[in-house]
Amino acid sequence: MRQIAITAREGAPMGAYAFAQTPDGFLWIGTATGLYRYDGATFTQPWAGRLHGGAIVALMADSNGDLWVGYIFGGIDRLHDGRVINYPVAQLPGGTTLDFLRASDGTLWVSCFHGLARFDGQRWITVGTAMGYPGGEPLWMGLSQGNLLVLTATAAFQLARGASVFAPMDRMSVRQARWGSPPHRPWRQEDLEKFHEASDASLTLLDRRGRLWTSDNLRVRRFTWPADGDQPVVEEVPLNDAVAAEVESMFEDREGNVWIGTGSGLELFSPSKLHRLQAVPRNGRLPLVIPKDDSTLWIGSANTTFTTLDGTPVSSPVLGEHIGTYTRARDGSLWVAGSLGVLHYTRAGTVEKAPALPIDPASLRDLESSSEHWQSMAEDGAGIIWLSVVGHGQFCLKNGAWSAPEPGLGLPTRTAIRLLADDRGRLWLTYPDNRVAVVADGHAHMYASADGLGIGNPTAIAVRGDHVWVGGDLGMATLINGRFVSLHGRSGESFPGTAGIIEAASGDVWTNAAHGVVRIPQQSAARFLSGDTSPVDFELFDWHDGLDGGVPMLRPSPNLLQMPDGRIWLSRMNGVWWVDPKNIFRNPVAPLVQVDRLVRDGDHFRVDYTATSLINPDRVRFRYRLDGMNETWQEAGSRRQAYYTNLAPGGYTFKVMAANEDGIWSPNTASISFSVPPAIYQTVWFRVTCVVAAVAILWLVSRYRVERVKALLRQRMYARHAERERIARDLHDTLLQGIQALLFRLRLWESDPTIAPERRSEIAAVAVQANAIVLEGRDRLLSLRATGPQHEDLLESLTEVASTESAGKETRVEISMRGEQRLLLTEASRQLVDIAREAVRNAHQHARASLVAMTVDYRRSSLRLQIVDDGCGIDPTALNVDTRPGHFGLVGMRERAHQLRARFRIERNGARGTSIIVVAPARVVFAGHRRWFHRRRAG
């Protein structure tokens, strides 16, 4: 069994007086400092501060999940559905509460220092002489074939199934039931004295395998009744030094673990997959297993003599100490190399010493003084014994003498790390730096890095038929189609530090490596050998499975072998272990998984969960899923916490399940449901508020922008109005006054009789025209001084321009309209009229046009003015020139269109004539035009 000490460093309590295991799998421990709970990973005190007593000395878990707690100073607590129900000392016989027991009829019994009591469902009733029990301290209380047995210091009693009164009983029979001794093999009082059992007051535990565990406070023994013997086999069970103290309690849990509580901590005895050979002392250094024959093993070490499996010393023949290597010959005899040199143990039982090696005497004496120079040994197909010696290379024993290998083989002179002869008689040798040689039929072939070897220094080799496996300090490889291919595990493991390899009869591949013992199943090994070199499945056996210490990488060797009975033996630095591949212990008990708590810190969530599997809690694997977020299971490994961040609002259910070290999954999932309320910013009303606020802000920004634009326009308008007033004053004081004076002179000339009548008529016409100029100038001055928007009819203005500009000229002007006529802002109308006037003048003066057609198109979003003439057309060079000396007409038209934010285009109209198009936006030219939101607000 695997033995582990659990101390205060791991959180274990000291002074464990009682154990119990509830149906949820939790182990409960009663101590002087209260009640502890253990899930295999963590010790906690979930009932701290809620119990009615101090030191706990009795515990019992009921099938319904209740936990009964008894105290050293009397009294009982019942933990039921999260509540503590107390039963005071007055209901009990008195004194320390010793033990609880649920009888086969369902009655709950308690033993106290001063007697027995039974529970009627509401209260405890003390058992007295009326029920046949005289009182006094019960030393032990138990069940046998459904009957309740009680043992005291002087008597024994039985309450048969269905009976209401205790009956006296033979003490030895009760003791026999307590010890688990078969009824037909009585264990007598003298047997107790023979096996140094202290008294009936000793602690006892009868486990599910029928083994009796006892303790006389300081020592623990285990008694096993063999099927073919009357007397039990007694084993001393030493406790680890870390917890070695007075034994207070013993308990077996649902997985078959035996717990021993001492004053210093807990000792766990659990079933293990690997079995340690107790015949090798723990201080034995570099042990070695030698198969004397197919059924006998010799076990020794560098500092101890060899013994058989039961510890009997091997005295004849004497092996001596410091055995470095050995090999079994084809005839079944044994060759060993050690402190007595190279010895040959024949099948007849005689021992022969091999000739001395051909080296100097001083080196030979050094060789025979220890095992540190004997590296490896093998017998090839020709019956030649090969020996590898550190510092001296290889030697061959042939015809009664040692010699170096044949030079023609071309083998390296360096010391071979491993020698192995396969079942075909081939000899395999491994050398440092990725080199493996094979000798067959007088020829040698060397494999190296170029042949795929990448395992470092080959320290292990196994050959079975065509299968060649090698391992080294960097990894493991196998020979496939003439090349070595490295193996890797499912998680990228390269299997480094391999010191021993065998391919078992079943096809499984076993290795003895630095990190433990590895088993590659036959299916994975066969798949890899067939050419599918994807990662292999494997099983690792390490300290969780009872293994201890490292592995010797060089000597002694071999350190891994399989006996004909199928058992595999392995030696490591400080011990020897064996495993039966057909009967490896597998834990059939599925872990029970539980969600402990949900912790929320802002947007961060943590779920604590656990699973009660106590044999190998470190190897328990978890997977979980959060319904509402994930649809697949997440592999968590051995981690017992899950974290989530920034979960969206909604309902969630966290589910978790667990598997034990052998892949047995929990039958049910544990779950916890919770909801994430929306944060303020995630609520609908908050979003609506944000939308409303955003709209309001945009409206305010827009209003602010509009007001700023208005203020800017107002400022510009004031400046423009001031400038207009200045221009109006200047024009009135200069140009108009001058024209008025000129008009006055013309009137005088018109009435002067000395001027010829025909001249006076011309002067009158000029006076009329000058008067019109004065009137128009006066109107322009009035418009410059205007402070508010004025409206004009564009068609009326264009008609006046047509009349004025065509008077006395050969150019005819036509005006047409499209759409619904609308009034224009005075400023916009004047700009368009000026553009039209300039276009008509250009058509008459420069193009000599006979017809000018003006079309006004009132559109919903714009106003389009097109002026087309039938003249000679505009000079193409003038279209690309902004100004020509003395000509500003086109520039003026473009500037006026720009002020209206209008599109302006001038081009030749086919072969003759010119076309001018002005498209001004409605918001700039039309009176009373507003944007849609302005209209809605106004409405």
Side-chain angles (χ1 to χ4, degrees):
M1 299 188 76
R2 184 176 60 127
Q3 187 173 345
I4 299 176
I6 306 176
T7 66
R9 291 185 178 181
E10 291 78 37
M14 294 184 289
Y17 297 130
F19 292 93
Q21 189 173 31
T22 44
D24 56 12
F26 285 105
L27 183 70
W28 297 86
I29 307 167
T31 73
T33 56
L35 182 64
Y36 288 80
R37 191 188 75 172
Y38 184 53
D39 60 0
T42 307
F43 291 90
T44 59
Q45 288 185 279
W47 294 91
R50 300 176 60 186
L51 303 181
H52 293 83
I56 299 171
V57 293
L59 289 173
M60 192 199 77
D62 244 337
S63 59
N64 65 349
D66 289 357
L67 184 66
W68 296 85
V69 182
Y71 299 99
I72 193 170
F73 291 105
I76 294 174
D77 275 341
R78 178 187 180 189
L79 311 184
H80 175 74
D81 289 339
R83 298 180 296 116
V84 179
I85 304 173
N86 179 250
Y87 303 94
V89 179
Q91 291 187 18
L92 301 168
T96 300
T97 304
L98 301 176
D99 198 8
F100 297 96
L101 179 66
R102 178 74 70 177
S104 57
D105 62 359
T107 303
L108 179 62
W109 296 83
V110 64
S111 61
C112 300
F113 187 78
H114 293 298
L116 294 175
R118 62 182 177 85
F119 189 62
D120 66 358
Q122 298 295 328
R123 53 179 287 128
W124 290 94
I125 301 174
T126 299
V127 176
T129 54
M131 286 190 65
Y133 186 75
E137 177 187 4
L139 300 179
W140 177 80
M141 177 175 60
L143 294 174
S144 177
Q145 300 179 353
N147 302 321
L148 176 63
L149 304 180
V150 179
L151 181 69
T152 69
T154 58
F157 302 90
Q158 172 181 285
L159 181 63
R161 184 197 299 259
S164 59
V165 178
F166 282 91
M169 194 175 179
D170 177 61
R171 291 187 77 249
M172 182 56 67
S173 299
V174 175
R175 297 165 81 189
Q176 184 173 314
R178 178 187 183 187
W179 300 325
S181 172
H184 60 281
R185 295 171 188 161
W187 201 9
R188 301 175 299 276
Q189 178 65 37
E190 53 267 26
D191 296 328
L192 289 177
E193 297 173 358
K194 177 180 179 181
F195 294 116
H196 308 287
E197 192 63 30
S199 68
D200 289 334
S202 300
L203 291 172
T204 60
L205 170 67
L206 188 63
D207 67 21
R208 65 186 63 182
R209 299 182 183 180
R211 299 174 301 184
L212 177 67
W213 299 68
T214 69
S215 172
D216 58 359
N217 294 335
L218 296 177
R219 293 174 298 179
V220 175
R221 292 183 177 87
R222 187 168 56 215
F223 298 83
T224 305
W225 277 263
D228 57 352
D230 290 338
Q231 299 302 320
V233 176
V234 183
E235 301 173 77
E236 290 283 346
V237 183
L239 300 180
N240 282 289
D241 293 340
V243 297
E246 184 173 355
V247 177
E248 305 287 356
S249 57
M250 292 189 289
F251 177 76
E252 183 183 26
D253 65 24
R254 69 190 186 101
E255 296 173 86
N257 299 307
V258 173
W259 297 83
I260 294 180
T262 74
S264 299
L266 308 177
E267 187 89 351
L268 170 64
F269 296 87
S270 63
S272 61
K273 294 175 170 56
L274 301 180
H275 306 275
R276 183 165 191 155
L277 189 63
Q278 300 300 324
V280 178
R282 291 182 178 267
N283 61 354
R285 186 173 64 87
L286 299 176
L288 184 65
V289 180
I290 299 177
K292 175 180 178 292
D293 51 43
D294 289 346
S295 60
T296 305
L297 288 176
W298 289 339
I299 314 295
S301 68
N303 58 345
T304 62
T305 59
F306 277 76
T307 67
T308 58
L309 290 182
D310 61 2
T312 303
V314 177
S315 57
S316 178
V318 176
L319 285 175
E321 300 179 0
H322 305 296
I323 303 299
T325 186
Y326 71 89
T327 187
R328 288 282 300 276
R330 293 179 178 275
D331 62 0
S333 62
L334 178 67
W335 292 81
V336 299
S339 60
L340 299 181
V342 179
L343 303 178
H344 180 210
Y345 294 89
T346 68
R347 289 175 60 88
T350 61
V351 57
E352 300 171 354
K353 186 169 184 178
L357 294 175
I359 59 177
D360 62 273
S363 297
L364 186 60
R365 284 193 298 271
D366 290 341
L367 290 177
E368 296 181 350
S369 64
S370 71
S371 63
E372 296 179 357
H373 299 86
W374 307 110
Q375 183 62 43
S376 189
M377 183 182 290
E379 180 191 37
D380 66 12
I384 299 174
I385 301 298
W386 290 66
L387 179 64
S388 177
V389 182
V390 176
H392 299 279
Q394 286 67 247
F395 297 93
C396 299
L397 182 60
K398 183 178 181 182
N399 298 325
W402 293 102
S403 62
E406 292 291 336
L409 295 176
L411 295 174
T413 58
R414 293 186 63 180
T415 303
I417 302 175
R418 292 287 183 263
L419 302 175
L420 175 72
D422 64 19
D423 51 7
R424 297 182 181 180
R426 296 175 298 179
L427 182 70
W428 296 80
L429 307 91
T430 71
Y431 295 92
D433 301 327
N434 286 310
R435 290 182 296 170
V436 175
V438 57
V439 178
D441 300 327
H443 301 282
H445 177 75
M446 180 67 71
Y447 296 94
S449 299
D451 302 295
L453 275 173
I455 60 172
N457 300 298
T459 52
I461 184 168
V463 181
R464 185 180 182 89
D466 294 329
H467 304 167
V468 180
W469 307 87
V470 292
D473 50 2
L474 298 182
M476 183 178 171
T478 186
L479 188 63
I480 302 177
N481 297 327
R483 286 185 59 84
F484 279 95
V485 181
S486 295
L487 282 82
H488 292 88
R490 291 294 182 187
S491 299
E493 298 87 351
S494 59
F495 309 110
T498 300
I501 301 178
I502 63 168
E503 181 179 331
S506 63
D508 292 352
V509 177
W510 293 76
T511 71
N512 191 7
H515 58 288
V517 176
V518 174
R519 182 185 74 92
I520 301 176
Q522 182 272 334
Q523 296 85 352
S524 290
R527 175 181 54 79
F528 198 89
L529 289 169
S530 68
D532 181 358
T533 57
S534 57
V536 297
D537 296 319
F538 70 94
E539 183 177 12
L540 174 65
F541 303 92
D542 56 15
W543 68 270
H544 296 91
D545 308 291
L547 198 63
D548 189 14
V551 63
M553 295 297 296
L554 295 176
R555 295 169 296 279
S557 70
N559 54 44
L560 187 64
L561 65 107
Q562 185 176 31
M563 292 295 287
D565 63 1
R567 288 194 293 178
I568 294 174
W569 294 81
L570 58 110
S571 57
R572 294 176 73 85
M573 286 290 190
N574 59 350
V576 173
W577 286 260
W578 64 269
V579 58
D580 185 353
K582 297 181 180 179
N583 296 290
I584 298 177
F585 170 77
R586 302 297 181 187
N587 183 6
V589 181
L592 299 175
V593 64
Q594 174 175 308
V595 177
D596 279 344
R597 59 176 176 167
L598 172 69
V599 180
R600 179 177 183 180
D601 182 11
D603 291 335
H604 301 277
F605 295 82
R606 188 188 80 227
V607 183
D608 296 339
Y609 53 85
T610 189
T612 52
S613 182
L614 304 181
I615 290 184
N616 269 318
D618 293 340
R619 286 185 172 175
V620 174
R621 295 179 289 117
F622 296 90
R623 61 172 58 147
Y624 59 78
R625 183 179 72 194
L626 184 63
D627 290 348
M629 178 180 177
N630 304 119
E631 295 183 358
T632 59
W633 291 93
Q634 307 294 314
E635 298 295 336
S638 59
R639 182 162 47 88
R640 299 181 182 231
Q641 290 178 325
Y643 299 89
Y644 296 96
T645 303
N646 296 326
L647 292 177
Y652 298 92
T653 299
F654 178 84
K655 296 180 179 180
V656 61
M657 58 192 308
N660 67 10
E661 68 276 15
D662 289 312
I664 306 299
W665 285 94
S666 52
N668 301 307
T669 61
S671 63
I672 183 172
S673 297
F674 63 97
S675 61
V676 179
I680 294 178
Y681 61 86
Q682 294 174 318
T683 58
V684 175
W685 65 265
F686 180 84
R687 294 175 181 174
V688 172
T689 302
C690 289
V691 171
V692 172
V695 172
I697 292 174
L698 290 175
W699 183 81
L700 290 175
V701 170
S702 175
R703 291 298 303 165
Y704 174 77
R705 175 64 178 167
V706 169
E707 293 300 325
R708 288 281 298 171
V709 171
K710 283 183 177 180
L712 181 60
L713 292 177
R714 191 178 299 111
Q715 183 179 1
R716 290 179 180 177
M717 183 183 66
Y718 290 155
R720 182 178 296 178
H721 185 66
E723 181 65 15
R724 286 180 174 182
E725 288 183 343
R726 185 189 66 79
I727 294 173
R729 287 193 300 271
D730 291 344
L731 290 176
H732 181 272
D733 296 340
T734 58
L735 181 61
L736 290 183
Q737 291 295 337
I739 295 175
Q740 189 70 30
L742 179 61
L743 181 60
F744 181 73
R745 294 288 299 273
L746 290 174
R747 294 295 184 188
L748 290 178
W749 290 341
E750 179 184 3
S751 60
D752 187 355
T754 63
I755 300 176
E758 60 274 12
R759 296 299 181 190
R760 287 202 303 271
S761 298
E762 293 178 2
I763 291 173
V766 171
V768 171
Q769 188 174 6
N771 187 57
I773 292 173
V774 170
L775 292 177
E776 183 180 359
R778 194 169 290 151
D779 291 340
R780 291 298 179 99
L781 289 178
L782 291 175
S783 66
L784 286 175
R785 289 181 174 274
T787 59
Q790 295 180 352
H791 305 157
E792 287 188 2
D793 186 340
L794 177 61
L795 289 177
E796 181 180 343
S797 299
L798 291 177
T799 301
E800 184 178 350
V801 169
S803 176
T804 303
E805 296 298 330
S806 62
K809 300 175 182 177
E810 297 179 356
T811 302
R812 187 174 79 256
V813 180
E814 296 180 356
I815 301 174
S816 61
M817 180 193 75
R818 295 177 185 171
E820 182 181 353
Q821 184 179 359
R822 298 170 64 180
L823 293 177
L824 270 66
L825 294 172
T826 300
E827 180 65 22
S829 178
R830 295 287 175 84
Q831 299 286 10
L832 293 172
V833 168
D834 288 342
I835 292 173
R837 179 182 291 109
E838 183 67 25
V840 172
R841 287 177 179 175
N842 287 340
H844 172 71
Q845 295 177 6
H846 302 292
R848 297 181 298 279
S850 61
L851 176 64
V852 177
M854 290 188 288
T855 302
V856 180
D857 188 359
Y858 293 95
R859 299 178 177 178
R860 182 176 181 181
S861 59
S862 63
L863 181 138
R864 185 176 186 272
L865 172 64
Q866 183 177 13
I867 307 168
V868 181
D869 65 59
D870 60 354
C872 62
I874 189 170
D875 184 357
T877 60
L879 297 176
N880 300 321
V881 179
D882 289 341
T883 60
R884 289 182 297 168
H887 296 271
F888 300 97
L890 291 180
V891 175
M893 284 190 287
R894 286 193 175 95
E895 289 177 348
R896 293 178 187 282
H898 179 71
Q899 290 180 359
L900 294 176
R901 301 179 185 177
R903 297 193 304 274
F904 178 84
R905 187 171 78 243
I906 180 171
E907 59 189 6
R908 290 179 65 86
N909 186 26
R912 292 179 58 82
T914 302
S915 174
I916 298 175
I917 299 175
V918 181
V919 181
R923 67 179 184 275
V924 176
V925 297
F926 289 139
H929 180 81
R930 295 178 181 271
R931 298 189 181 186
W932 67 271
F933 53 83
H934 287 161
R935 292 199 302 271
R936 291 188 62 181
R937 185 165 60 89

